[in-house]
Amino acid sequence: MTASGPTADFQRTTRDSYDAIAPAYAEFSRGELAAKPLERGLLAVFAELAVAGGGGLPVADVGCGTGRVTAHLSELGLGSQVFGIDLSPQMLAVARQEHPGLLFEEGSMLALGLPDASLGGLLAWYSTIHVPDEELPGVFAEFHRVLAPGAHVQLGFQVGDEPLRMTEALGREVSLVFHRRQPERIAELLRDAGLEVVSRVWRERETDGPFPERAPQGFVLARRPVVSGGCEDGDISTAN
């Protein structure tokens, strides 16, 4: 894999912010999946689809952070087939230390550095939230490019209309923007990129428990249509 590093200001500030909080974030987020059965269920569906329909191709956790979700997917049947990609070297250092049996690579979702149609699945679990609106169509086009026909992409994100800006997190100075979006808008952009939307799930904000949330959560599952007769499913050709 030859993936590019940060090329835009938002990528650099995101990388530097997560570098600053990497060890603290690993401790903070430990046990989060155990407390969220809906998320575990959605990840289980994604993993099952990737195992059944991915043709044995690798599955990428894009924006993997400390690798906790990557490892969870591995335990769900993907094994060493799943690997992580992230901008932050320090987050990746934690991921490699905590999950030495899995592969983690530094890279950018703007240019994944993977061959066309080389993935049997792609997870973007709360990672596109740091991508500005104007860059999102290009990111989804890149997801379409690297997915094999029939392979699925699962997104998790925060729902809303206004971004959240943070200058402090876990006792460290950061510069992070969390772009909140409506599931309908995400679905529209995925379709524009040539992906077929399979499901949309909305969950209201949880205000209690060990991991309270600032906003509702959205989850969209899509797939790259299967090629049939030289065209992808859904393509329509007309002749005069």
Side-chain angles (χ1 to χ4, degrees):
M1 171 180 167
T2 305
S4 64
T7 58
D9 288 344
F10 83 89
Q11 291 180 298
R12 297 185 187 96
T13 56
T14 300
R15 175 201 60 191
D16 294 347
S17 295
Y18 278 107
D19 275 351
I21 64 173
Y25 182 83
E27 288 304 315
F28 167 77
S29 61
R30 203 179 305 280
E32 183 178 13
L33 277 178
K36 295 185 173 182
L38 174 62
E39 281 83 343
R40 294 199 311 274
L42 292 167
L43 291 170
V45 169
F46 170 75
E48 182 176 341
L49 290 168
V51 169
L57 292 172
V59 174
D61 179 6
V62 178
C64 65
T66 59
R68 61 191 178 87
V69 180
T70 321
H72 185 70
L73 291 176
S74 177
E75 293 166 359
L76 288 173
L78 287 171
S80 59
Q81 184 179 344
V82 64
F83 69 101
I85 302 172
D86 202 89
L87 276 173
S88 165
Q90 294 305 313
M91 296 288 269
L92 291 169
V94 172
R96 291 169 182 143
Q97 180 178 359
E98 298 202 350
H99 312 289
L102 295 175
L103 175 66
F104 296 96
E105 298 279 359
E106 185 175 344
S108 162
M109 68 178 69
L110 297 185
L112 286 168
L114 297 167
D116 293 355
S118 61
L119 292 182
L122 188 153
L123 180 73
W125 201 246
Y126 295 93
S127 53
T128 59
I129 60 175
H130 297 303
V131 177
D133 289 343
E134 63 272 16
E135 299 282 358
L136 206 55
V139 167
F140 289 167
E142 181 72 347
F143 290 177
H144 178 279
R145 182 186 69 80
V146 298
L147 283 171
H152 289 77
V153 54
Q154 172 72 66
L155 279 77
F157 53 95
Q158 296 152 339
V159 176
D161 298 307
E162 297 295 332
L164 169 69
R165 302 178 187 276
M166 294 183 65
T167 57
E168 188 275 335
L170 301 173
R172 294 297 189 95
E173 182 178 337
V174 299
S175 179
L176 289 171
V177 180
F178 298 78
H179 295 276
R180 298 168 172 172
R181 298 177 171 109
Q182 297 297 330
E184 294 80 5
R185 178 57 178 160
I186 293 292
E188 179 184 9
L189 290 172
L190 288 168
R191 292 189 190 99
D192 289 346
L195 295 161
E196 176 183 78
V197 174
V198 175
S199 68
R200 286 175 286 176
V201 177
W202 168 295
R203 191 193 68 191
E204 292 294 342
R205 182 169 69 101
E206 293 185 1
T207 57
D208 55 4
F211 299 97
E213 294 154 352
R214 298 171 184 259
Q217 313 295 299
F219 309 93
V220 177
L221 177 69
R223 69 164 193 155
R224 179 170 175 173
V226 176
V227 175
S228 175
C231 297
E232 292 190 349
D233 291 352
D235 284 354
I236 299 174
S237 60
T238 60
N240 294 324

